[in-house]
């Protein structure tokens, strides 16, 4: 499936990828830990401690309200939790997606130690057609270690210095033309 290309961003302290700035995790921002209450479920991922609130049996927020992790609305279909997420902002770019990203996730316990996670992703501004995947989440009795996102962002200063140097070199080369 073809993914439409987008130009790369200029790196500034506020324009780098959210995961690089330790604001959201990279890859998947949802994890297998869920804590339900009657009206909402929280999906917590250890990576950067992302917490997604799924409002149960609700309507999506107006399209003018955009969130980093989108607006997640859930309902039960038998034993399967279905989470429909829309209203992403322009900073959350899952694999190059844009604001019109739409994700439907299905969480089904298949036995005492296994959760089946299925998803369908669509964004007509990014992909030619929707695409889907699934995998299992096995239960574990092993420790879960805290994700430490390059403690103190020590690398960020070097990333920014490198970007400024590259811009200066490009400007100097352009001035010679």
């Amino acid at each position: 499936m073809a993914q439409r290309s987008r130009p790369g961003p200029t790196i500034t302290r506020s324009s780098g990828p959210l995961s690089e700035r330790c604001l959201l995790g990279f890859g998947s921002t949802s994890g297998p830990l869920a804590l339900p209450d009657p009206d909402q479920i929280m999906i917590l991922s250890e990576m950067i401690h992302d917490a997604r609130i799924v409002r149960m049996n609700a309507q999506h927020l107006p399209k003018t309200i955009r969130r980093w992790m989108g607006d997640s609305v859930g309902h039960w279909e038998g034993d399967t939790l279905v989470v429909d997420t829309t209203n992403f902002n322009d900073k959350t770019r899952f694999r190059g997606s844009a604001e019109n990203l739409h994700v439907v996730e299905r969480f089904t316990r298949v036995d005492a130690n296994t959760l089946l996670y299925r998803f369908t992703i669509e964004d007509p501004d990014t992909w030619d057609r929707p695409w889907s995947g699934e995998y299992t989440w096995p239960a574990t009795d092993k420790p879960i270690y805290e994700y430490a996102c390059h403690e103190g962002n020590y690398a960020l200063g070097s990333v920014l210095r490198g970007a400024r140097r590259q811009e200066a070199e490009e400007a100097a080369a352009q001035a010679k033309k």
Side-chain angles (χ1 to χ4, degrees), residues 16-66:
L18 298 177
S19 61
E20 197 170 280
R21 294 186 291 139
C22 300
L23 298 173
L24 284 179
F26 54 86
S28 173
T29 58
S30 61
L33 185 60
L35 305 171
D37 80 14
D39 300 318
Q40 49 195 357
I41 294 173
M42 179 180 71
I43 300 175
L44 176 66
S45 175
E46 176 56 33
M47 179 172 284
I48 310 183
H49 312 291
D50 294 336
R52 223 174 14 137
I53 304 301
V54 178
R55 293 177 299 110
M56 297 300 293
N57 304 309
Q59 297 294 314
H60 279 291
L61 297 171
K63 294 223 178 272
T64 55
I65 300 175
R66 301 288 180 155

Side-chain angles (χ1 to χ4, degrees), residues 12 19 41 48 53 62 73 76 83 113 124 139 159-161 170:
T12 67
S19 61
I41 294 173
I48 310 183
I53 304 301
V73 173
W76 290 97
V83 179
N113 295 310
V159 169
L160 293 171
R161 280 189 294 280
E170 290 170 358

Side-chain angles (χ1 to χ4, degrees), residues 9-11 159-173:
T10 300
I11 298 173
V159 169
L160 293 171
R161 280 189 294 280
R164 298 299 79 76
R165 182 174 180 161
Q166 181 180 0
E167 290 170 355
E169 289 171 356
E170 290 170 358

Side-chain angles (χ1 to χ4, degrees), residues 103-120:
V103 179
V104 177
E105 301 164 286
R106 296 177 178 276
F107 303 81
T108 307
R109 181 166 298 282
V110 294
D111 62 41
N113 295 310
T114 311
L115 191 67
L116 176 62
Y117 176 72
R118 293 175 290 162
F119 60 88
T120 299

Side-chain angles (χ1 to χ4, degrees), residues 43-169:
I43 300 175
L44 176 66
S45 175
E46 176 56 33
M47 179 172 284
I48 310 183
H49 312 291
D50 294 336
R52 223 174 14 137
I53 304 301
V54 178
R55 293 177 299 110
M56 297 300 293
N57 304 309
Q59 297 294 314
H60 279 291
L61 297 171
K63 294 223 178 272
T64 55
I65 300 175
R66 301 288 180 155
R67 297 175 168 178
W68 282 6
M69 290 187 278
D71 175 40
S72 295
V73 173
H75 67 275
W76 290 97
E77 291 180 2
D79 292 337
T80 299
L81 172 63
V82 179
V83 179
D84 186 286
T85 306
T86 62
N87 295 22
F88 291 90
N89 68 22
D90 63 351
K91 293 176 179 53
T92 309
R93 300 214 174 260
F94 175 75
R95 297 187 182 219
S97 65
E99 290 183 336
N100 291 322
L101 177 65
H102 179 210
V103 179
V104 177
E105 301 164 286
R106 296 177 178 276
F107 303 81
T108 307
R109 181 166 298 282
V110 294
D111 62 41
N113 295 310
T114 311
L115 191 67
L116 176 62
Y117 176 72
R118 293 175 290 162
F119 60 88
T120 299
I121 297 176
E122 63 180 307
D123 180 354
D125 298 329
T126 307
W127 296 286
D128 297 332
R129 62 187 181 277
W131 56 280
S132 299
E134 70 177 40
Y135 56 95
T136 56
W137 288 343
T140 183
D141 60 358
K142 306 291 185 235
I144 297 175
Y145 295 99
E146 179 182 10
Y147 177 81
C149 187
H150 55 84
E151 298 286 325
N153 283 333
Y154 297 118
L156 189 56
S158 295
V159 169
L160 293 171
R161 280 189 294 280
R164 298 299 79 76
R165 182 174 180 161
Q166 181 180 0
E167 290 170 355
E169 289 171 356

